[in-house]
Amino acid sequence: MPVPFETDPMAGILQPAAATAGPAAEQAGAVLIVDLGAIRRNYRRLRRELGGAECAGVVKADGYGLGAAEVAVALTREGCRTFFVAHVAEGIALRRALGPTPEIFVLNGVPPGAEPEAARSGIATVANSIEQIDAWRKAAARAGLTLPVALQVDSGMARIGMMPADVDRLAADRRALQGLEVKVVMSHLACADEPDHPANERQRRRFEQLAARLQENGPPTARMSLANSSGIFLGPAYRFDLARPGAALYGVNPRPGHENPMLPVVRLYAKVLQTRRVEAGDGIGYGHSVVAEGPTRLATISLGYADGWHRRTAAAAWADGIRLPFVGRVSMDSIVLDISGLSPDRLKAGDLVEVIGPHQSVDDVAAAGGTIGYEVLTALGGRFHRRYEDADRDMDGRDGDRT
Ligand SMILES: *Cc1c(COP(=O)(O)O)cnc(C)c1O
């Protein structure tokens, strides 16, 4: 695979046609590149896996930190028409970006008091309790509208969603859903990334039972939805009518322990602030947690825990295919690298080194920090210069091949 940034990391970054966000590249300490074309290909890949089932896009937490509007617009171009966010404010912002057509569901449910604004904005709640259904029904009556709703049942995760007793109450009361149009009946899997975990099958059966009870009362048009990214790979029985992938769209491996079927989506390059040479006995960084054993060349890069690079993530940076290990502690705004492996004049202030990219995936960074790719992505900071690439679109905005 060609690695365009190996020798000249700025070459692609200054492309004029690209959409950007955040501070200008010259001002920023690091450059985050989001490959929307890869997100689109990942969406197609999931759709292939899903056969005929619909594929939604989960763009909560600002599209897992990558930009909800940019991601959702790219997915819309692939035919995606159903989106999930976590918060009402995320839904309202997304509605502005997408216009009136796509469905937007708020996974955490619309909180008490926020119903009128949510209804006006064309946001659908994921009702997780009888109280949320009641409040949503009242909002519908006040607005004189039929409001869309998704009903979430707890099939065995004990996190959010209606309990079996709530489902019984709903099934017994025909008026409970008056003024509401049930678009989706859904639940969430606790152990989808462990295909052999017995909870998966248990949850699937319970979901089918609870959904059947709800359908006794609701319109038959409601789509059933259980699978997140990993759930899609549990097999046809988990697909139902609508899948809700997030992480896999963004390149996180939905099948831990197996080869990643998704394409990488993000690259992160950090700027060199300074280089120096230290001698044996010199302490490096806070707490002098590392003391040089001999002459060592160091580079300090403009990336730290305030950028979402967790303090305990001892990874490396890369330049010219050479690994540049972190030395000492991660600071708020900087990290020190051992660059002894590079020729002495290779790096100077302003040069970029890879910290997420072909040599070090999001999942690699997560493993180095004892966490998951989800947390790495959603933590990526607001100080980066961001650039959106879409190799599937030509300069006139037309779509390229759709294979
Ligand atoms: C976050 C979330 C998803 C998406 O999960 P991924 O593992 O990122 O695919 C789907 N459904 C619900 C209810 C969620 O909270």
Side-chain angles (χ1 to χ4, degrees):
M1 189 174 74
V3 183
F5 294 97
E6 278 285 70
T7 48
D8 184 4
M10 289 301 281
I13 290 167
L14 296 175
Q15 261 179 26
T20 64
E26 313 81 72
Q27 295 176 20
V31 176
L32 181 75
I33 299 169
V34 180
D35 185 347
L36 296 172
I39 292 179
R40 292 166 57 160
R41 286 196 147 77
N42 285 340
Y43 182 79
R44 286 177 227 165
R45 169 78 182 81
L46 295 174
R47 265 223 313 244
R48 268 206 309 282
E49 193 73 26
L50 282 166
E54 185 188 345
C55 191
V58 179
V59 294
K60 60 192 179 185
D62 197 24
Y64 290 46
L66 304 186
E70 289 82 356
V71 170
V73 167
L75 292 177
T76 303
R77 298 173 69 84
E78 294 298 321
C80 183
R81 54 194 165 81
T82 305
F83 294 90
F84 289 88
V85 293
H87 287 217
V88 177
E90 294 175 341
I92 292 172
L94 189 62
R95 175 61 73 209
R96 277 193 213 108
L98 294 182
T101 309
E103 291 181 293
I104 300 174
F105 293 96
V106 174
L107 289 165
N108 281 7
V110 172
E115 295 89 355
E117 174 81 33
R120 263 198 304 280
S121 305
I123 305 306
T125 193
V126 174
N128 295 300
S129 68
I130 299 277
E131 290 74 20
Q132 278 184 343
I133 292 173
D134 288 344
W136 199 235
R137 199 185 57 236
K138 285 181 186 130
R142 268 198 307 272
L145 295 170
T146 299
L147 291 182
V149 66
L151 303 179
Q152 174 153 240
V153 297
D154 179 7
S155 58
M157 186 176 180
R159 184 179 72 166
I160 192 169
M162 284 181 275
M163 306 287 284
D166 300 325
V167 172
D168 287 341
R169 268 177 66 194
L170 264 190
D173 180 4
R174 293 204 149 269
R175 288 164 312 171
L177 296 169
Q178 235 166 37
L180 304 181
E181 185 180 356
V182 182
K183 296 278 195 181
V184 175
V185 173
M186 57 179 276
S187 192
H188 193 52
L189 294 164
C191 308
D193 58 347
E194 298 174 56
D196 298 328
H197 201 296
N200 292 322
E201 172 72 7
R202 271 204 308 272
Q203 281 199 263
R204 186 178 68 73
R205 283 169 193 268
R206 168 149 302 182
F207 173 57
E208 282 177 338
Q209 289 161 2
L210 294 171
R213 288 231 64 192
L214 284 173
Q215 307 275 29
E216 288 169 16
N217 194 5
T221 52
R223 292 160 285 170
M224 287 175 66
S225 175
L226 181 63
N228 67 336
S229 297
S230 296
I232 292 171
F233 292 90
L234 290 177
Y238 290 81
R239 291 175 195 158
F240 293 97
D241 305 309
L242 173 71
R244 308 184 308 271
L249 292 172
Y250 308 104
V252 172
N253 189 355
R255 304 174 69 223
H258 294 84
E259 199 185 332
N260 190 351
M262 314 317 297
L263 296 172
V265 167
V266 295
R267 286 166 285 157
L268 179 60
Y269 295 87
K271 253 182 213 174
V272 172
L273 295 169
Q274 274 203 326
T275 61
R276 76 189 67 245
R277 190 187 133 114
V278 293
E279 306 299 333
D282 289 344
I284 300 165
Y286 281 124
H288 283 182
S289 62
V290 171
V291 174
E293 288 174 4
T296 311
R297 278 184 301 113
L298 303 175
T300 305
I301 55 173
S302 185
L303 176 75
Y305 59 77
D307 296 299
W309 192 279
H310 291 292
R311 192 165 162 273
R312 301 213 176 267
T313 305
W318 297 80
D320 302 342
I322 291 171
R323 189 172 187 276
L324 312 172
F326 290 6
V327 187
R329 290 192 187 149
V330 172
S331 296
M332 186 184 293
D333 314 299
S334 60
I335 297 170
V336 176
L337 310 176
D338 183 340
I339 59 166
S340 303
L342 287 175
S343 62
D345 54 356
R346 169 63 181 87
L347 285 182
K348 59 181 190 314
D351 286 350
L352 294 172
V353 294
E354 174 197 324
V355 282
I356 297 175
H359 297 92
Q360 188 163 265
S361 70
V362 168
D363 288 314
D364 293 337
V365 173
T371 183
I372 54 177
Y374 296 66
E375 191 180 8
V376 171
L377 284 181
T378 53
L380 291 178
R383 301 193 292 190
F384 302 146
H385 173 71
R386 287 165 180 252
R387 193 162 74 82
Y388 292 93
E389 290 181 344
D390 193 343
D392 273 11
R393 286 181 77 172
D394 64 22
M395 292 300 208
D396 303 323
R398 282 190 307 255
D399 284 341
D401 84 287
R402 288 176 160 256
T403 49

